[in-house]
Amino acid sequence: MSDSPIQPLARPEIRLTTMAHGGGCASKIPPGELEEVVSSLAGQQYDQVIVGLDDGDDAAAVRIGGPDGDTAVLSTADFFTPVVDDAHDWGRIAAANALSDIYAMGGDPVVAINLVGWPREVLPYELLQEVLAGGLAIATEAGVPVIGGHSVDDPEPKYGMAVTGTARPDRLLRNDAAEAGLPITLTKPLGVGLLNNRMKSTGEASPAAIEVMTTLNRDASKAALEAGARAATDVTGFGLLGHLYKMGRASGVGMILDRAAVPLVDGAAEALRDGFVSGGTRRNLEWVRHAVQTGPGIDEDDLLLLADAQTSGGLLVIGEVPGYPVIGETVAGEGIQVR
């Protein structure tokens, strides 16, 4: 290998997605296992904490300026293994995904820092520069400076961001604020997990999936706030069913989901038909299966699609958001009915 600080691009035959056991948010620790692990952090008592660990929200929210302070600082971090083979696109997707946690809380991102794991003996640094340039491009679109970060030598390439944002404490979008009798809105189509898994297996990229994953949730967040929404989350590695389950459990409401109303990314249905279902998606479904009731005509493939592990998915909003599809409604009770 070259002794120069920046290694020249080499070994183009190496596909990024083949260097990791999983891709994107499908590589997350399964939700049930994760909840058990982080339970040891529960019970912390701080007056300034508005949103902590209890309900699995997208970001922590801490009030500054004392008990009457009108600013909440939001903090989150998100990184993952390659979800596409193009380094620049991977950076764009990872940045949009990290920023999404702030938007999902109803906040505005203020600053981001990079998080990098890199197999320095295998992949050239110029490839890493492409990843970072992709992340910067999305952050620039969002108006967010990227300043500094942290890196480690890692057998699997990983990239993401830690993001800090702000919001009004009384206008946070939360997991525990859903009420019965409201529409459920989804702001991006489902199916990127299936398409990403197909690409990992075949090398066939999906421009439609990349477009979905690199679209910021900024406009959807602002539209949800303007519509008066109080409860929202973004749909990522735990799938639509997983995030519905977490929100319903935290809020004490049930969910009715209209399968036919759920929009799909172009090509997702074909990827499902051809069997490109990730292990993360199957684990998602097993985690929520006890809470899901199905109506006539709903089969296992429907449930796998609804449990598809998304990367940089849309916002799941309780309430109608103009311009985005309504996919169901909240009801009194518990669990999820799929019809």
Side-chain angles (χ1 to χ4, degrees):
M1 297 182 66
S2 170
D3 293 330
S4 63
I6 301 299
Q7 305 161 30
L9 281 172
R11 301 178 67 180
E13 73 277 5
I14 295 179
R15 290 178 48 216
L16 286 172
T17 54
T18 66
M19 297 195 63
H21 70 287
C25 289
S27 61
K28 284 186 174 183
I29 292 175
E33 296 176 18
L34 183 61
E35 286 189 343
E36 183 177 352
V37 170
V38 301
S39 64
S40 61
L41 301 175
Q44 300 180 63
Q45 299 295 322
Y46 294 93
D47 292 340
Q48 68 268 36
V49 175
I50 305 171
V51 178
L53 285 168
D54 293 345
D55 297 314
D57 278 275
D58 298 288
V62 179
R63 188 189 303 270
I64 60 174
D68 299 322
D70 60 0
T71 299
V73 173
L74 309 178
S75 181
T76 184
D78 211 314
F79 62 95
F80 45 67
T81 52
V83 68
V84 294
D85 289 319
D86 184 277
H88 192 264
D89 281 343
W90 175 30
R92 294 168 64 219
I93 292 164
N97 184 73
L99 291 164
S100 180
D101 284 341
I102 301 298
Y103 295 132
M105 295 289 293
D108 296 306
V110 174
V111 65
I113 59 175
N114 286 317
L115 303 173
V116 173
W118 199 252
R120 52 180 294 275
E121 297 293 337
V122 179
L123 293 178
Y125 283 135
E126 281 191 8
L127 202 61
L128 176 56
Q129 286 184 315
E130 291 185 30
V131 177
L132 298 180
L136 179 60
I138 288 295
T140 300
E141 180 183 341
V144 178
V146 182
I147 305 174
H150 185 68
S151 62
V152 295
D153 190 354
D154 192 327
E156 286 189 338
K158 300 178 179 69
Y159 174 65
M161 290 177 167
V163 186
T164 301
T166 59
R168 284 177 47 186
D170 62 343
R171 293 297 291 116
L172 288 171
L173 299 173
R174 304 172 54 142
N175 257 353
D176 64 355
E179 298 178 356
L182 294 174
I184 301 172
T185 299
L186 181 65
T187 68
K188 285 185 185 181
L190 291 188
V192 297
L194 289 157
L195 293 165
N196 290 338
N197 201 37
R198 183 182 69 182
M199 187 180 60
K200 180 176 172 63
S201 300
T202 68
E204 179 185 356
S206 167
I210 292 171
E211 176 67 22
V212 168
M213 292 185 288
T214 55
T215 298
L216 291 170
N217 279 326
R218 173 184 55 196
D219 293 347
S221 176
K222 292 186 182 303
L225 289 171
E226 290 173 0
R230 296 289 181 175
T233 187
D234 60 347
V235 181
T236 54
F238 301 155
L240 177 60
L241 287 179
H243 288 285
L244 278 171
Y245 171 66
K246 289 178 64 178
M247 183 175 286
R249 183 180 61 182
S251 300
V253 299
M255 308 282 187
I256 296 178
L257 187 60
D258 184 352
R259 163 64 185 87
V262 176
L264 303 182
V265 183
D266 289 345
E270 291 75 16
L272 175 65
R273 177 200 63 201
D274 295 339
F276 292 108
V277 179
S278 69
T281 292
R282 295 188 187 280
R283 290 189 292 271
N284 287 342
L285 181 53
E286 291 312 306
W287 181 53
V288 301
R289 194 182 290 275
H290 71 281
V292 176
Q293 296 180 345
T294 58
I298 301 299
D299 60 18
E300 186 75 0
D301 277 355
D302 290 313
L303 296 181
L304 285 169
L305 179 61
L306 297 173
D308 187 41
Q310 303 301 282
T311 297
S312 192
L315 298 187
L316 175 64
V317 183
I318 305 305
E320 186 169 359
V321 182
Y324 299 97
V326 170
I327 62 167
E329 61 183 325
T330 55
V331 294
E334 59 184 11
I336 304 168
Q337 301 175 49
V338 182
R339 62 189 185 191

